[in-house]
């Protein structure tokens, strides 16, 4: 049977056996797709695939599931939750028409919001493959997603940060010092979130209590999270631990998530458990998800689908559970999947674009591993581009060097840079707290107070006195 995905250029006809192959070969070059043997064999084949993809009707994505409906619960989630009425506005379009419509001045934030339940992850992944970086930025800027728990994240001209005070031995004093350091640089409004070195329920509960005490004592309008397995958090809630947000790494196929040890029912149980605690003050979004291109390939669960499309499918999982935070850990998985700074930058922009179009509150861990062909200048570039694109939050690590996870991210200082050059404020509730605590001497221009704020200096001096 002849494939409908053929394209003739000159005297040569290119054949793509199905939509999955066309999508993979249209993807901008990246090492993970080459490793999976799904990438285009040449730049010419990639461009041809992009031209054919641009001609492909959006309806094809509803009639040709990349992973069979019967074999994958993420496919079932995507198709069962698809809103036909919302889709009707764009149902006549090709992928190329969709790109032009998204870029149009007439397609506003409100219009995108009214239609986005008609988008599928495969549609937004496809259109991203035929867009330049500046186009991904322009559309993502329009596709705002606002969520709340103890503060409000994702508003216009705001940039929030996750304060990540990881420690290689979970030393409480070391973690507390990093939290103080981050707060003094105005970080932490997205979440104060720890990746525990020792991952068990007892350790998670200990760290949750530490962060809860800090938040309560200083009346910080933010939320905490220990990034442990979702089943650990469910058990911690049953043990009456002070859980604000439930964390889980997620992927875009059922097999990927099975390799992580959960399914959609597990996430629903966790969401219900966290909501039962009723700890939010201005909102009820209680979930925090992390994603990253290459996780399905790493788990041998990619079904010969390119890694960027698998990543977009993960956002359907996230959307189902009304998360406060979702971030792509864009360079964390290593150069086998994203080889260098150029590939990391492109992937970060694609992930942010796809997540926002689907209605997911996207942030980004702008990062790389030490064996990748990337450096901190690449991170500066991506930080600036994502901040322009309206990214909800980034990560703040002391010195940009995570000494527990052994990778390079962005620092507390980097967030301050982005706020200064682009005039981006933290979440409004957190901004008021920063002003009350005298963190800045000049709030308007983001000039930090040279003196330790009184609320922190008193207990710190007492502690130092006890040590002396």
């Amino acid at each position: 049977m002849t494939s409908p995905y053929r394209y003739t250029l000159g005297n040569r006809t290119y054949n793509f056996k199905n939509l999955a192959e066309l999508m993979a070969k249209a993807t901008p070059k990246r090492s993970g797709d080459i490793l999976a043997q799904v990438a285009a064999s040449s730049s010419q084949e990639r461009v041809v695939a992009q031209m054919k993809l641009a001609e492909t009707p959006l309806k094809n994505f509803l009639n040709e599931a990349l992973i069979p409906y019967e074999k994958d619960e993420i496919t079932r989630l995507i198709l069962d939750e698809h809103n036909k009425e919302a889709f009707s506005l764009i149902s006549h379009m090709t992928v190329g028409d969709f790109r032009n419509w998204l870029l149009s001045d007439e397609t506003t934030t409100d219009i995108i919001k009214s239609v986005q339940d008609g988008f599928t992850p495969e549609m937004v992944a496809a259109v991203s493959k035929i867009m330049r970086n500046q186009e991904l930025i322009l559309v993502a800027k329009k596709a705002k997603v606002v969520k709340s728990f103890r503060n409000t994240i994702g508003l216009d001209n705001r940039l929030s940060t996750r304060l990540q005070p990881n420690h290689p031995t979970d030393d409480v004093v070391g973690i507390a010092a990093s939290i103080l350091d981050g707060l003094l640089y105005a970080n932490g409004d997205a979440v104060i979130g720890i990746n525990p070195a020792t991952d068990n329920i007892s350790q998670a509960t200990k760290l949750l209590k530490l962060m809860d005490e800090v938040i309560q004592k200083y009346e910080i309008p933010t939320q905490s999270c220990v990034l442990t397995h979702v089943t650990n958090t469910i058990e911690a809630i049953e043990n009456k631990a002070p859980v604000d947000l439930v964390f889980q790494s997620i992927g875009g196929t059922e097999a990927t998530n099975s390799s992580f040890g959960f399914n959609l029912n597990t996430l629903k149980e966790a969401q219900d458990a966290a909501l039962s605690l009723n700890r939010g003050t201005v909102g009820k979004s209680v979930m925090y998800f992390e994603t990253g291109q290459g996780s399905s390939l790493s788990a041998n669960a990619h079904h010969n689908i390119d890694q960027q499309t698998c990543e977009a499918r993960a956002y359907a999982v996230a959307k189902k559970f009304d998360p406060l935070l979702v971030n792509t850990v864009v360079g964390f998985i290593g150069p086998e999947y994203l080889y260098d700074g150029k590939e990391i930058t492109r992937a970060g922009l694609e992930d942010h674009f796809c997540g926002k179009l689907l209605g997911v509150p996207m942030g980004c861990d702008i990062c790389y591993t030490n064996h990748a062909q990337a450096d901190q200048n690449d991170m500066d570039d991506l930080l600036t581009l994502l901040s322009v694109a309206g990214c909800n939050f980034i990560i703040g690590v002391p010195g940009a060097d995570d000494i527990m996870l052994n990778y390079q991210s962005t620092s507390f200082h980097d967030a301050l840079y982005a706020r200064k050059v682009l005039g981006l404020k933290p979440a409004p509730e957190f901004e008021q707290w920063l002003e009350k605590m005298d963190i800045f001497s000049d709030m308007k221009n983001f000039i930090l107070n040279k003196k330790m704020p009184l609320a922190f200096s008193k207990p710190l001096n007492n502690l130092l006195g006890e040590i002396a």
Side-chain angles (χ1 to χ4, degrees):
M1 184 174 157
T2 305
S3 167
Y5 303 108
R6 292 184 299 160
Y7 196 95
T8 300
L9 183 67
N11 59 1
R12 179 174 174 183
T13 297
Y14 292 80
N15 283 287
F16 306 95
K17 64 182 178 184
N18 54 36
L19 189 52
E21 181 176 285
L22 179 66
M23 294 270 283
K25 295 199 169 181
T27 306
K29 183 182 177 183
R30 63 205 52 191
S31 53
D33 291 335
I34 296 171
L35 181 66
Q37 300 183 324
V38 299
S41 59
S42 66
S43 297
Q44 186 176 47
E45 186 183 30
R46 180 173 301 110
V47 171
V48 168
Q50 289 171 335
M51 290 192 288
K52 182 61 193 175
L53 187 60
E55 293 178 348
T56 302
L58 292 179
K59 285 179 178 175
N60 284 27
F61 294 90
L62 300 176
N63 300 325
E64 188 177 343
L66 302 190
I67 306 174
Y69 183 91
E70 300 75 17
K71 293 183 177 179
D72 186 272
E73 69 170 357
I74 313 305
T75 299
R76 293 194 289 277
L77 172 70
I78 292 167
L79 294 179
D80 292 350
E81 304 257 320
H82 182 253
N83 186 322
K84 291 184 174 57
E85 186 177 347
F87 181 64
S88 62
L89 182 68
I90 58 169
S91 61
H92 61 288
M93 295 182 184
T94 63
V95 173
D97 296 333
F98 187 34
R99 168 189 170 274
N100 296 339
W101 179 80
L102 289 168
L103 290 168
S104 166
D105 289 338
E106 281 71 44
T107 304
T108 62
T109 298
D110 289 341
I111 290 175
I112 289 174
K113 192 172 182 60
S114 70
V115 179
Q116 66 188 180
D117 286 346
F119 305 159
T120 68
E122 291 83 357
M123 290 177 195
V124 301
V127 76
S128 76
K129 295 174 192 298
I130 62 168
M131 295 174 82
R132 290 173 56 192
N133 287 0
Q134 66 167 259
E135 295 170 341
L136 298 176
I137 293 169
L138 180 64
V139 175
K141 179 81 172 176
K142 288 196 282 188
K144 291 191 287 284
V145 183
V146 179
K147 298 288 181 177
S148 57
F149 186 75
R150 288 202 191 98
N151 54 28
T152 310
I153 298 169
L155 294 167
D156 276 337
N157 301 313
R158 306 270 175 178
L159 176 66
S160 296
T161 59
R162 169 187 162 193
L163 200 172
Q164 184 171 301
N166 294 345
H167 191 280
T169 62
D170 286 341
D171 179 77
V172 172
V173 175
I175 288 173
S178 291
I179 292 175
L180 176 61
D181 191 22
L183 291 173
L184 291 175
Y185 279 101
N187 277 238
D189 51 339
V191 65
I192 302 174
I194 302 172
N195 298 90
T198 306
D199 194 7
N200 57 51
I201 297 160
S202 171
Q203 187 66 12
T205 302
K206 177 182 171 184
L207 296 174
L208 284 165
K209 287 181 177 176
L210 165 68
M211 290 186 287
D212 189 54
E213 287 175 10
V214 172
I215 289 172
Q216 298 296 331
K217 178 176 175 60
Y218 294 101
E219 300 178 326
I220 310 171
T222 190
Q223 36 281 329
S224 71
C225 185
V226 172
L227 282 70
T228 185
H229 194 270
V230 62
T231 53
N232 285 349
T233 306
I234 292 172
E235 194 165 338
I237 291 173
E238 290 170 349
N239 294 337
K240 302 189 184 309
V243 172
D244 290 338
L245 305 182
V246 177
F247 170 82
Q248 183 56 48
S249 291
I250 58 174
T253 71
E254 180 179 340
T256 309
N257 293 333
S258 294
S259 77
F260 292 161
F262 76 93
N263 58 28
L264 298 180
N265 288 334
T266 318
L267 296 181
K268 179 68 169 64
E269 181 185 354
Q271 183 188 29
D272 289 344
L275 285 171
S276 72
L277 300 179
N278 198 29
R279 290 171 62 84
T281 54
V282 297
K284 294 184 177 180
S285 296
V286 295
M287 304 299 282
Y288 175 16
F289 296 120
E290 279 190 350
T291 67
Q293 290 191 27
S295 61
S296 293
L297 175 58
S298 179
N300 195 25
H302 59 96
H303 298 268
N304 290 321
I305 299 172
D306 68 88
Q307 64 184 31
Q308 190 250 342
T309 301
C310 284
E311 171 74 4
R313 286 168 54 94
Y315 305 145
V317 177
K319 183 178 180 180
K320 174 69 178 173
F321 299 99
D322 183 30
L324 179 74
L325 310 167
V326 178
N327 70 264
T328 169
V329 194
V330 70
F332 183 76
I333 202 162
E336 297 83 359
Y337 303 85
L338 296 171
Y339 181 70
D340 56 15
K342 183 174 183 177
E343 291 189 12
I344 292 171
T345 299
R346 175 71 192 185
L349 293 176
E350 288 169 351
D351 295 350
H352 180 251
F353 165 90
C354 290
K356 283 285 182 67
L357 266 192
L358 292 168
V360 172
M362 287 301 295
C364 186
D365 189 351
I366 300 162
C367 63
Y368 62 100
T369 56
N370 289 316
H371 60 309
Q373 300 298 308
D375 60 26
Q376 217 62 34
N377 284 329
D378 296 308
M379 302 302 101
D380 289 349
D381 293 346
L382 182 54
L383 167 62
T384 306
L385 294 173
L386 284 173
S387 297
V388 172
C391 187
N392 279 25
F393 72 101
I394 60 168
I395 308 297
V397 178
D401 182 11
D402 192 303
I403 55 175
M404 197 285 280
L405 292 170
N406 289 315
Y407 78 116
Q408 310 302 311
S409 182
T410 43
S411 72
F412 303 141
H413 308 68
D414 293 332
L416 201 56
Y417 145 78
R419 285 175 173 165
K420 282 183 177 179
V421 296
L422 295 168
L424 302 173
K425 297 179 180 179
E429 299 86 351
F430 196 74
E431 181 188 5
Q432 291 176 11
W433 180 82
L434 293 171
E435 191 163 13
K436 184 181 80 173
M437 298 295 286
D438 288 328
I439 300 294
F440 289 107
S441 62
D442 180 349
M443 190 82 192
K444 184 178 178 183
N445 294 302
F446 304 99
I447 306 297
L448 291 171
N449 197 336
K450 291 182 179 178
K451 294 181 179 178
M452 175 80 75
L454 193 61
F456 292 121
S457 62
K458 274 188 174 179
L460 192 61
N461 288 335
N462 291 340
L463 177 64
L464 292 174
E466 290 174 9
I467 293 173

